[in-house]
Amino acid sequence: MRRLFRTVSISGTIATYLHRKCGKMDYYTCTVVLIASLVIFLYQFLKKRYSFFERCGIPYIKPTILFGNTIDIILLRKSMGEVFAELYKKLEPHRFGGIFAATKPMIMIRDPNLLKDILIKDFVNFSDRGWDVDHTLEPLTNHLFTMHNDDWRNLRMKLNSVFTSGKLKTMFPLVKVCGDKLSEVIGRIPENESFDAKDLMARYATDVIGSCVFGLDTKSMDDPNAEFRMMGRKLSQFRLRSMLRLLQFDVVPQKLAKLLKITFFDLKTQHYFGDIVLKTIEQREKTNAKRNDLIDFLIAMKNGQTSEKYNNVGNGRDFDLKITDELLAAQGFIFFFAGYETSSTSLSYILLELSQKQNKHIQDKIRQEILDITSANSRLTYDVLKQMPYTDMVIDEILRKYPPNGILQRRAIKNYKIPNSDAVIPAGTAIIVSIYGLHCDEKYFDNPQEFRPERFTEEEKSKRLSCTYLPFGTGPRYCIGASFAKIMVKIGLIYALRNYSYRTSPKMKFPLEFDKNLGLLTPCNSILLQREKIL
């Protein structure tokens, strides 16, 4: 785009020169010169850009001018997860291939063995997710997900100590309180009355994250219009600006994005969550109060009480990251956004699948396991959760069929020769993985549209190729909050299923559609169910 602005500038200079030479009557000529210059530039730019994969010797899908292979995303006709899954299929039988997000070239990796090389073996060359953000414009984007290189490595090591089994066990009672509340709220729903499971589980997730991350009782389950709940909803509402930044189309240079304030998330919403974290940290430090939530652990991290200095893998240099309150606020923000959306969505999908007639036996089986475990133990504890293999299988299968993050992105730091190929991935090239495409590939999961938890028995998992099941990614950038998310989902299931059975409401609309926003596979439809109390 810099070349475009340079061309406009040159064209303007030429037009001004002609105007001075030819007089006022030649405005038409000046305009023609300007337009012609722009057209010539655009033609040369697109010709060079769209021949990118030919020059690299990489097979690719022919793009549509300006829209690339993502016209359905740009025109809001399909979700990002669906579009990239379709492109994944179109690249069959290639191990990898090129696609264009508008004019941006991206290499989609399809082969599990090559994925293993990129995400694990050769991770050092693909440690960058490829998100370029302006932390001065959006301070709350300075988090683990978007960080690069040394900053990411150092913060990741420090935060690893926050999500150990010991730390999760101390947060478990906070989640359990929200589970109790969930059961109470479900009990208030009249039998045979439809309710939106998506909304209910979003309120549950909001209360859990609000308690465990921000140290707040958000009261979202009691009040669907609670302020914290409303601000959380804004994070996932469609914004054209978010779409531009997320897809990283080469239409908005970084400086122009800053000038126009084109942000990933609404700045007012970011400031709301940032202020909560900063005020909570300030209060905790003044009163020395402890709650065993994430804020306590972040404060301990800031004070150097969580881990030693990290020696960076790959470069052998000691590097220390300055931990500020603003940096901690950014981590709280991303933990809320990632945990709230993915956990509530997964719970909604589980209840939807269990409520359908063909899956009644699955609902009965998971409920029986829950009843057996809870009746055999005097109280529900963190360790008891580990004794529920079928519940784990149900969660794993829902994450396969509806992976919250439909795509995974990386960026090559240096030129990379693809193993068993003559092709080279140039430095700076975006790498895209269609998680949804992999999870729906019949080579790895037969009859992929069927909901079948038995895919995840220990025997079945041992037969499966690695890097074909990636709901939380894999390798060093594996989702740091995966264990916490599963605890939140499992507690939600225990308290939702122990005393109640579910069926789909006659008002429920099928087929299910995905929201055309942010790249997450969230349902666009309301998930309307009916519940019945089990005597």
Side-chain angles (χ1 to χ4, degrees):
M1 290 303 294
R2 291 191 183 94
R3 292 170 59 194
L4 175 61
F5 292 123
R6 192 182 308 122
T7 301
V8 172
S9 177
I10 293 172
S11 299
T13 301
I14 294 173
T16 301
Y17 172 78
L18 288 175
H19 168 62
R20 288 175 178 174
K21 285 288 185 182
C22 302
K24 294 182 179 180
M25 296 301 293
D26 284 286
Y27 272 115
Y28 174 77
T29 303
C30 297
T31 303
V32 170
V33 170
L34 178 60
I35 293 175
S37 299
L38 290 173
V39 169
I40 292 171
F41 164 78
L42 185 61
Y43 170 77
Q44 292 178 337
F45 171 79
L46 293 176
K47 181 180 179 182
K48 183 176 181 180
R49 183 56 63 95
Y50 287 140
S51 65
F52 178 85
F53 294 115
E54 291 180 11
R55 299 195 303 272
C56 295
I58 294 174
Y60 69 101
I61 301 174
K62 186 177 179 180
T64 301
I65 298 297
L66 295 180
F67 294 102
N69 306 114
T70 51
I71 187 171
D72 285 335
I73 298 175
I74 298 170
L75 298 183
L76 303 179
R77 297 196 293 220
K78 295 179 182 178
S79 69
M80 289 179 64
E82 290 174 292
V83 170
F84 284 113
E86 291 172 359
L87 295 173
Y88 171 94
K89 290 180 181 178
K90 287 182 179 179
L91 284 169
E92 180 76 32
H94 301 291
R95 297 164 55 218
F96 56 89
I99 60 173
F100 291 91
T103 63
K104 181 183 181 68
M106 310 178 85
I107 298 178
M108 180 173 284
I109 307 300
R110 302 181 71 260
D111 177 62
N113 292 321
L114 181 54
L115 276 174
K116 189 174 181 180
D117 286 337
I118 288 175
L119 300 178
I120 303 174
K121 180 183 175 183
D122 298 321
F123 169 78
V124 172
N125 196 51
F126 297 96
S127 60
D128 188 349
R129 285 191 187 273
W131 304 110
D132 294 318
V133 296
D134 188 331
H135 298 152
T136 60
L137 176 62
E138 295 183 88
L140 292 193
T141 60
N142 190 23
H143 49 64
L144 199 62
F145 189 86
T146 61
M147 280 184 168
H148 307 313
N149 306 323
D150 289 336
D151 284 347
W152 169 78
R153 292 184 180 93
N154 189 266
L155 186 60
R156 174 74 186 217
M157 175 57 75
K158 291 179 181 296
L159 288 174
N160 279 341
S161 61
V162 174
F163 289 94
T164 62
S165 294
K167 294 293 195 303
L168 293 176
K169 186 180 292 188
T170 63
M171 284 193 279
F172 177 81
L174 301 176
V175 185
K176 187 172 176 292
V177 168
C178 296
D180 281 319
K181 187 65 179 180
L182 175 63
S183 181
E184 177 188 326
V185 172
I186 293 174
R188 297 179 199 158
I189 302 171
E191 292 195 6
N192 300 318
E193 181 175 300
S194 300
F195 70 96
D196 187 351
K198 182 175 70 170
D199 178 71
L200 177 60
M201 290 308 170
R203 287 154 55 196
Y204 162 73
T206 299
D207 277 358
V208 172
I209 300 292
S211 178
C212 294
V213 174
F214 296 93
L216 300 175
D217 179 6
T218 65
K219 302 185 183 300
S220 297
M221 279 185 281
D222 283 327
D223 181 9
N225 296 315
E227 182 184 28
F228 198 88
R229 164 72 178 134
M230 291 296 98
M231 297 304 288
R233 289 182 66 177
K234 284 187 177 182
L235 291 178
S236 55
Q237 289 177 346
F238 175 78
R239 296 173 69 243
L240 180 59
R241 293 182 173 194
S242 299
M243 182 69 76
L244 289 173
R245 294 304 303 274
L246 185 70
L247 291 177
Q248 295 190 327
F249 294 154
D250 289 351
V251 296
V252 184
Q254 190 74 5
K255 290 183 179 180
L256 182 59
K258 183 176 181 179
L259 178 65
L260 299 178
K261 294 186 177 181
I262 299 177
T263 59
F264 279 104
F265 299 106
D266 175 64
L267 288 177
K268 182 179 178 181
T269 308
Q270 290 191 52
H271 294 153
Y272 173 83
F273 287 106
D275 288 345
I276 289 176
V277 176
L278 294 175
K279 289 177 181 177
T280 304
I281 290 174
E282 181 181 8
Q283 182 184 29
R284 297 276 179 92
E285 290 183 325
K286 282 183 179 179
T287 62
N288 201 31
K290 301 291 182 183
R291 198 170 177 272
N292 290 325
D293 56 13
L294 186 66
I295 294 291
D296 281 351
F297 304 142
L298 290 178
I299 292 173
M301 184 180 75
K302 184 179 74 167
N303 295 330
Q305 300 169 358
T306 56
S307 66
E308 297 178 357
K309 185 181 289 186
Y310 179 48
N311 183 266
N312 288 282
V313 176
N315 58 23
R317 294 190 295 109
D318 285 338
F319 178 83
D320 200 15
L321 177 69
K322 184 179 180 181
I323 305 297
T324 64
D325 288 348
E326 289 71 22
L327 183 68
L328 299 186
Q331 310 322 306
F333 173 76
I334 193 61
F335 290 146
F336 172 80
F337 175 72
Y340 153 79
E341 192 68 52
T342 58
S343 299
S344 63
T345 297
S346 296
L347 276 165
S348 303
Y349 284 137
I350 291 175
L351 289 185
L352 175 63
E353 288 289 345
L354 297 182
S355 68
Q356 297 180 58
K357 289 182 180 179
Q358 70 270 24
N359 294 331
K360 186 180 183 302
H361 64 290
I362 301 176
Q363 182 179 164
D364 293 341
K365 187 172 181 177
I366 186 175
R367 181 182 297 104
Q368 191 59 54
E369 180 178 74
I370 289 170
L371 292 173
D372 291 343
I373 289 296
T374 53
S375 62
N377 295 273
S378 57
R379 61 192 182 91
L380 185 62
T381 66
Y382 175 79
D383 293 324
V384 168
L385 290 186
K386 300 176 182 179
Q387 304 170 32
M388 305 174 69
Y390 192 72
T391 304
D392 287 329
M393 290 161 57
V394 168
I395 295 172
D396 287 344
E397 172 66 349
I398 212 70
L399 292 172
R400 180 203 65 81
K401 188 173 180 181
Y402 307 102
N405 296 308
I407 59 174
L408 186 68
Q409 187 169 323
R410 295 288 187 269
R411 180 164 59 191
I413 295 175
K414 299 183 297 184
N415 289 348
Y416 179 79
K417 185 179 181 301
I418 297 177
N420 303 315
S421 167
D422 293 330
V424 174
I425 299 176
T429 304
I431 304 297
I432 193 81
V433 180
S434 174
I435 298 175
Y436 191 40
L438 282 166
H439 288 191
C440 293
D441 194 326
E442 293 185 352
K443 294 196 299 293
Y444 314 122
F445 301 96
D446 65 290
N447 194 9
Q449 295 309 313
E450 179 187 3
F451 181 71
R452 193 169 75 242
E454 286 72 22
R455 299 179 199 272
F456 290 91
T457 62
E458 291 303 318
E459 180 181 1
E460 287 298 313
K461 287 193 293 185
S462 67
K463 298 176 183 177
R464 189 172 303 128
L465 284 172
S466 63
C467 292
T468 56
Y469 179 68
L470 302 170
F472 296 105
T474 190
R477 281 226 173 200
Y478 180 81
C479 177
I480 195 171
S483 296
F484 178 77
K486 285 192 172 183
I487 290 172
M488 181 163 40
V489 170
K490 194 177 289 189
I491 290 292
L493 285 178
I494 290 172
Y495 284 95
L497 292 171
R498 187 163 55 181
N499 298 318
Y500 306 98
S501 64
Y502 300 88
R503 62 182 179 274
T504 54
S505 166
K507 298 179 182 179
M508 176 70 197
K509 294 181 180 180
F510 291 99
L512 195 68
E513 294 184 3
F514 298 122
D515 201 347
K516 285 76 172 174
N517 187 25
L518 288 180
L520 301 176
L521 283 176
T522 56
C524 185
N525 322 47
S526 294
I527 295 183
L528 299 177
L529 309 178
Q530 294 175 337
R531 67 88 174 161
E532 181 179 348
K533 186 172 177 58
I534 298 174
L535 301 178

